[in-house]
Amino acid sequence: MATHRVDPAALLAAGRALTPLRERVAGAEDDLLAAPLLAGEGVLQHHLDGWVDHVVDALRALEAEAAEQALALRGVAVDGAAADDAAARSLTARDQEGIR
């Protein structure tokens, strides 16, 4: 199976692209929690509170997953850059040995 090299800069850019998503989700969570959602009736209020809890949980999970993926992309990019650097050093060392 063929392997394909991915540019570490592209991976870092993809990780950075998740930042606006994380910020937007955090803002939506804050907005929802700050909104005065009062139904006025006990049963309806209970259901409304439950809905808010579920939505906030989903937003928190989305924010955490985006953060985790950004870290993973950064890790792969750093590992890839280190591997590329090691391969370049190895080729340079072999080239220098051939010159001697």
Side-chain angles (χ1 to χ4, degrees):
M1 184 166 157
T3 59
H4 301 282
R5 183 183 175 286
V6 177
D7 182 15
L11 293 172
L12 290 172
R16 282 190 305 270
L18 291 170
T19 299
L21 171 65
R22 292 183 1 236
E23 291 170 350
R24 180 67 183 222
V25 168
E29 177 187 336
D30 291 343
D31 290 346
L32 184 58
L33 290 173
L37 301 175
L38 300 174
E41 192 242 300
V43 174
L44 183 56
Q45 186 66 49
H46 176 73
H47 288 293
L48 182 59
D49 292 343
W51 176 84
V52 169
D53 289 343
H54 288 299
V55 172
V56 167
D57 287 346
L59 291 170
R60 287 178 180 159
L62 180 58
E63 183 180 6
E65 184 64 26
E68 187 176 316
Q69 293 303 318
L71 285 174
L73 287 166
R74 187 177 314 131
V76 171
V78 169
D79 290 347
D84 288 348
D85 191 40
R89 282 194 307 267
S90 175
L91 287 174
T92 302
R94 283 191 294 203
D95 291 344
Q96 289 175 355
E97 286 176 11
I99 294 174
R100 294 181 198 167

